[in-house]
Amino acid sequence: LLDRTDSPWYEAVTLYRQERIGDWTPVFERLTPDLTALHESLKLSGQGYAEITDVNEALQRAFAHHQKNELDAARPLYEKILKTEPQHFDALQLLATIEAQTSSKQKALELFAQALTINQKNPVVYFNQANVLDDLGKFELAIESYDRAIALKPDYAQAYLNRGNCFKSLGELPSALQSYERAIALEARGVHAYLKSAFILQELKRHDQAIACYQRAIALSPNNAEAFFNLGNLYHAVGEFQWAFESHARSIALNGRYAEQFYNRGLALQALKRSDEALADYERAIAIKPDCLEALYNRGHILKEQKKYQQAIASYTRAYEINPDYDYLVGTLIHTKMFLCDWRDLESTINSLNAMVLNGSRCTTPFSFLSMTDDLALQRRAAQSWVATKYPDNHSLGPIQKSDPGERIKLGYYSADLHNHATAYLMAQLFELHDQSKFELIAFSFGPISSDPMRARLTTSFDQFIEVGHLSDLEIARLSREMGIDIAIDLKGHTGDSRPGIFACRAAPVQVSYLGYPGTMGAEYMDYLIADTQLIPEPSQKHYVEKIVYMPHCYQVNDRTRGIASTGQTRNQAGLPDDGFVFCCFNNNYKITPSVFDIWMRLLHRVPNSVLWLLEDNPEAASNLRAEARARGISAERLIFAPRLDLSEHLARHRLAGLFLDTLPYNAHTTTSDALWSGLPVLTCIGESFASRVAASLLSAVNLPEMIVHDLQAYEQTAMMYAEHPELLAAVKAKLDINRLTSPLFNTEQFTLYLESAFVQMIDRYYSGQPTAHIYVQ
């Protein structure tokens, strides 16, 4: 048949030898039934493979089996041909492909090499040889072989594509991209080349081009679930969460079989604050893949935000059982248990966590860690690890071009808390007092769109109040630059709903961390941290990445217009006994530690009829604290829990207490200023970290240094002294009543002038070309 020029077999093999792949394939497919019939007739006639002497006929039969993936039938035929003709080029290279397909990689290479000694002009052999070398991880040799194939066949698009894969495996991303782009140029409808190019462009932070590549792939293959999935991941990476959600939703609609699809859509929904929907997607992911770590971890986050702490702990624990080294899991699990005041093995687990942080492990978020230790060196390491992993420098917008200073300094305040929130309660009057002849105020709000009274008050305080929650970090940074913001003030740091990515893109020439996060952000792109000498003594500067702006008295601004309800609760209404001393702590429950609680219980034991008044954060915490009290010999009824109230009523009820007892290592912050503004003395034990020195800073600014102690023994003794000597406590309260209206702590006008002076010094240094430096405001 092969010798007859009118035979379709002659035509097919001729096309094959001419490398006209697109032409010979359909010819062979038409002939397959004929070959099968020939094969059966030969078997029926008793003519076995061993009796075949016609090499061309054997090659046809072998190739037909090969095409149908009947490799066990094709291999012996190729081998028989080679016994007859050891230098038969087609048999050598086709047998090599079978060896490659059946994982006999080394044997395949030997056969390809032998074939190439016979014919060095066949690009397909070089291509197939390169594929085997690629599979074996011999990427440099594979690239050489792809290059030989391309030299023989310059329009070999698939060779360029696979060559790009090798460069990608070697980490040579620009070279990989060049290969993929050449493959696209040769075969414009090659979907895989676009997908590969998009991935490399994403790695190179050329996000707009990567998105365009994914979109082109989707245009060519509208039902390609993988393309939509990868595009969704990219949109998420650049903060385009709505587009990310829509892309993942399309991927799921096309082929929703994989846990990763539901998990990633859940991430987008979580970022969009559609928590219940995100939770449902995480549940779907876990149903498909019960050991889906990412879904378990993020399900825990949502449950924690919803204050379903027990369920959150169960989700985190399951993730921990699968992989105890999963990033940031250990610290998150410990911190969640602290919300419940579940102190089982707390000391040992925190000690282990400290060691992990010291060794450079990504084991805790910076904020969680603040409540576990006051070791400044460890806190810096945790923050730097977090930033390096989650929010590294982003140079997508390039450097800021220095321009001439404007008539007014443009201040950008960035926060998710510009509504009824503790941050707004402290800062509202500051915004109103800024000298708008010297400063232009722009609010960038990425929190909930609110209509509460505080939001209404704040919107009138700014020159512009911009809702940016729907924008990505990059878009917010770009908008800030376009508006000419001089100083970007981050009011969130590493707290909940923070957006450090805005500042990683360099939103303004000067970037400042203030108020929201009590510690170093660990980010080189944050230029300054506003503090005071009580918070950060000069020897501690080495533990902060930022330069320190030292305010004269206290770092914390306060709104002295905050109203206190004139008709507050009675003791009976608050659930307190009519008589007896009231120790109070309205800190969040996670700040309470066993060592401090031990002291509180000893105080209750020593002071008859006394009670401890705590914030009611969640029922599980209250139950656990009552159990801890009973374990220390104190009746659970002596722990009274206060529900949350509106601010003015909350401030008023402070007057029912005798003494506010602070926590360590995470102090009362806004809670301290609330107590002092209400006239309730606060006793604090000062630590080493920013978070453990805030109460001391506030007490110093209100001139109550006698309420600051330096160890827990003195803390207990001082608390006992005031409980036993009401006249001494009355004297402190009388002093506070005077000082709160005359001392710097609640002098918002004076504080505003100091802060504005700091801003002027920051911007003067920038425009004069001076580097950042510690600033001491006078």
Side-chain angles (χ1 to χ4, degrees):
L1 290 173
L2 289 174
D3 293 336
R4 289 171 49 190
T5 57
D6 62 339
S7 165
W9 288 103
Y10 181 90
E11 175 192 1
V13 174
T14 301
L15 291 170
Y16 169 73
R17 287 173 173 163
Q18 292 175 353
E19 303 291 333
R20 292 166 62 183
I21 297 172
D23 296 328
W24 65 257
T25 301
V27 176
F28 272 120
E29 288 174 348
R30 291 199 308 272
L31 296 174
T32 297
D34 295 340
L35 188 63
T36 302
L38 175 62
H39 179 203
E40 294 300 319
S41 66
L42 287 172
K43 286 200 296 183
L44 289 172
S45 67
Q47 183 179 359
Y49 292 157
E51 300 169 8
I52 295 175
T53 57
D54 188 320
V55 169
N56 288 330
E57 180 186 356
L59 183 65
Q60 292 175 41
R61 292 165 57 193
F63 194 75
H65 285 301
H66 199 159
Q67 275 202 303
K68 292 189 290 184
N69 205 36
E70 296 171 353
L71 304 185
D72 289 340
R75 179 189 278 110
L77 288 169
Y78 290 138
E79 291 173 343
K80 185 167 183 61
I81 292 168
L82 291 173
K83 285 182 180 179
T84 304
E85 293 186 25
Q87 298 300 302
H88 195 289
F89 175 78
D90 286 336
L92 282 169
Q93 62 105 357
L94 289 169
L95 180 58
T97 62
I98 288 182
E99 299 298 345
Q101 286 175 274
T102 56
S103 300
S104 302
K105 307 294 185 184
Q106 197 57 47
K107 179 64 174 176
L109 290 178
E110 293 171 4
L111 291 167
F112 280 131
Q114 190 177 344
L116 288 171
T117 63
I118 300 166
N119 180 2
Q120 298 182 14
K121 300 297 185 181
N122 190 307
V124 175
V125 179
Y126 284 110
F127 174 79
N128 288 334
Q129 176 183 253
N131 290 343
V132 177
L133 290 166
D134 184 1
D135 289 342
L136 292 171
K138 298 179 179 181
F139 304 119
E140 293 90 347
L141 292 175
I143 290 168
E144 291 179 13
S145 195
Y146 286 128
D147 286 342
R148 295 291 297 273
I150 290 167
L152 292 167
K153 184 178 173 59
D155 63 345
Y156 210 154
Q158 188 64 43
Y160 275 108
L161 181 66
N162 291 11
R163 178 176 180 266
N165 295 342
C166 288
F167 278 120
K168 175 176 172 290
S169 297
L170 290 168
E172 299 179 24
L173 301 188
S175 297
L177 184 60
Q178 288 177 356
S179 283
Y180 294 145
E181 289 174 339
R182 183 59 182 154
I184 289 171
L186 291 169
E187 191 176 351
R189 298 189 64 79
V191 173
H192 290 295
Y194 281 107
L195 293 175
K196 299 284 188 180
S197 294
F199 180 85
I200 298 298
L201 288 164
Q202 185 173 347
E203 289 292 301
L204 295 172
K205 307 299 183 184
R206 293 160 59 178
H207 294 134
D208 290 344
Q209 293 170 277
I211 289 171
C213 268
Y214 281 129
Q215 291 173 335
R216 179 59 180 157
I218 289 168
L220 292 169
S221 180
N223 295 325
N224 191 315
E226 178 188 0
F228 279 107
F229 177 78
N230 290 338
L231 178 59
N233 292 343
L234 176 54
Y235 275 133
H236 194 101
V238 299
E240 295 280 7
F241 302 122
Q242 182 61 37
W243 287 108
F245 162 72
E246 292 179 11
S247 295
H248 287 306
R250 181 61 179 152
S251 173
I252 289 169
L254 289 168
N255 182 17
R257 294 187 298 161
Y258 301 102
E260 290 74 14
Q261 292 171 287
F262 291 98
Y263 159 67
N264 283 10
R265 187 173 70 174
L267 280 181
L269 287 164
Q270 189 171 358
L272 292 168
K273 305 301 180 185
R274 294 162 60 177
S275 298
D276 290 338
E277 294 171 84
L279 191 61
D281 266 354
Y282 294 146
E283 298 286 1
R284 287 287 301 276
I286 294 165
I288 295 170
K289 184 181 178 183
D291 62 347
C292 185
L293 268 171
E294 297 86 351
L296 288 162
Y297 182 62
N298 283 279
R299 180 178 69 174
H301 286 348
I302 292 181
L303 293 168
K304 182 179 178 183
E305 289 171 5
Q306 295 177 342
K307 295 194 173 185
K308 298 174 181 176
Y309 298 115
Q310 290 286 14
Q311 294 178 50
I313 289 169
S315 199
Y316 291 139
T317 300
R318 175 64 186 135
Y320 182 85
E321 290 168 352
I322 296 168
N323 181 7
D325 298 322
Y326 188 71
D327 284 358
Y328 309 110
L329 173 58
V330 176
T332 302
L333 177 56
I334 296 171
H335 193 232
T336 308
K337 289 183 177 182
M338 292 176 73
F339 274 89
L340 295 181
C341 298
D342 180 352
W343 298 333
R344 289 171 293 181
D345 302 319
L346 180 63
E347 183 177 358
S348 62
T349 54
I350 289 178
N351 288 338
S352 297
L353 188 72
N354 291 343
M356 294 168 70
V357 172
L358 185 62
N359 292 331
S361 172
R362 294 195 292 264
C363 55
T364 182
T365 65
F367 178 73
S368 296
F369 202 43
L370 296 180
S371 58
M372 302 178 202
T373 181
D374 67 346
D375 188 310
L376 283 168
L378 290 180
Q379 288 185 358
R380 174 170 174 156
R381 288 179 71 90
Q384 288 179 309
S385 170
W386 176 257
V387 165
T389 304
K390 298 289 187 178
Y391 304 103
D393 271 306
N394 185 336
H395 302 291
S396 299
L397 298 179
I400 291 181
Q401 301 301 314
K402 185 177 289 188
S403 58
D404 295 330
E407 293 183 3
R408 295 192 295 169
I409 296 173
K410 289 190 176 183
L411 302 178
Y413 284 97
Y414 301 74
S415 182
D417 302 331
L418 300 176
H419 54 97
N420 279 350
H421 185 278
T423 297
Y425 294 146
L426 292 177
M427 298 195 71
Q429 191 180 12
L430 167 72
F431 299 140
E432 294 165 346
L433 290 173
H434 266 312
D435 186 345
Q436 296 199 7
S437 68
K438 298 178 182 178
F439 299 92
E440 182 179 349
L441 271 65
I442 297 95
F444 293 86
S445 174
F446 46 81
I449 297 176
S450 172
S451 58
D452 61 44
M454 179 56 74
R455 173 62 65 87
R457 178 183 175 187
L458 294 178
T459 52
T460 63
S461 305
F462 289 88
D463 294 276
Q464 296 185 64
F465 192 103
I466 308 173
E467 298 285 359
V468 294
H470 62 290
L471 299 179
S472 68
D473 292 346
L474 185 69
E475 288 172 328
I476 297 172
R478 182 184 289 116
L479 175 62
S480 302
R481 292 188 180 199
E482 291 170 353
M483 296 182 69
I485 299 298
D486 292 305
I487 303 176
I489 304 139
D490 179 16
L491 300 178
K492 292 298 297 178
H494 293 312
T495 57
D497 298 321
S498 61
R499 301 278 296 269
I502 297 168
F503 309 98
C505 297
R506 183 56 73 169
V510 178
Q511 301 193 142
V512 182
S513 176
Y514 179 52
L515 194 63
Y517 184 71
T520 181
M521 285 189 66
E524 297 291 342
Y525 46 77
M526 297 307 297
D527 302 304
Y528 296 101
L529 170 62
I530 296 175
D532 56 58
T533 55
Q534 184 75 272
L535 291 173
I536 307 177
E538 289 188 354
S540 297
Q541 290 174 355
K542 63 184 178 182
H543 298 298
Y544 293 81
V545 174
E546 307 87 346
K547 297 300 181 183
I548 310 304
V549 176
Y550 285 101
M551 299 294 280
H553 304 289
C554 178
Y555 89 110
Q556 189 190 86
V557 64
N558 276 278
D559 180 355
R560 69 187 302 163
T561 68
R562 281 185 295 172
I564 302 175
S566 57
T567 56
Q569 293 179 321
T570 64
R571 274 196 168 204
N572 183 262
Q573 290 170 331
L576 299 170
D578 293 333
D579 299 311
F581 194 87
V582 177
F583 294 104
C584 168
C585 180
F586 288 151
N587 281 357
N588 285 313
N589 293 166
Y590 72 83
K591 294 184 180 182
I592 303 173
T593 57
S595 57
V596 170
F597 192 76
D598 285 343
I599 294 172
W600 294 351
M601 294 302 99
R602 288 198 293 270
L603 291 171
L604 293 185
H605 181 74
R606 294 172 62 188
V607 180
N609 301 320
S610 61
V611 295
L612 177 62
W613 198 17
L614 302 172
L615 184 69
E616 186 178 56
D617 195 19
N618 63 85
E620 293 95 337
S623 177
N624 285 337
L625 287 172
R626 290 189 177 105
E628 293 289 345
R630 286 192 294 268
R632 291 162 176 79
I634 299 297
S635 171
E637 287 70 29
R638 295 179 69 183
L639 271 60
I640 313 296
F641 290 90
R644 294 184 183 274
L645 296 176
D646 289 339
L647 180 61
S648 63
E649 295 177 358
H650 173 62
L651 294 174
R653 70 179 169 185
H654 282 77
R655 294 169 176 169
L656 302 176
L659 179 65
F660 189 110
L661 298 173
D662 196 13
T663 50
L664 188 76
Y666 202 141
N667 284 176
H669 294 185
T670 304
T671 319
T672 295
S673 54
D674 285 347
L676 296 176
W677 181 240
S678 303
L680 175 62
V682 175
L683 175 65
T684 191
C685 180
I686 192 169
E688 295 297 321
S689 66
F690 190 130
S692 65
R693 301 175 72 89
V694 169
S697 170
L698 301 177
L699 287 164
S700 295
V702 80
N703 193 26
L704 289 179
E706 62 269 34
M707 303 305 291
I708 305 168
V709 298
H710 291 81
D711 59 68
L712 290 177
Q713 182 179 0
Y715 173 86
E716 182 173 354
Q717 291 171 346
T718 304
M720 190 65 200
M721 177 186 71
Y722 285 124
E724 290 183 326
H725 297 280
E727 72 282 3
L728 297 179
L729 185 58
V732 172
K733 287 187 175 183
K735 183 179 178 182
L736 175 58
D737 284 341
I738 296 171
N739 291 355
R740 72 186 192 91
L741 298 177
T742 59
S743 65
L745 180 60
F746 297 109
N747 189 335
T748 320
E749 292 85 353
Q750 184 184 60
F751 181 92
T752 303
L753 293 175
Y754 288 141
L755 185 62
E756 290 178 345
S757 173
F759 289 149
V760 169
Q761 292 182 63
M762 293 176 201
I763 212 67
D764 283 350
R765 295 190 69 86
Y766 169 72
Y767 279 112
S768 63
Q770 299 179 71
T772 58
H774 301 304
I775 293 174
Y776 294 82
V777 180
Q778 303 296 324

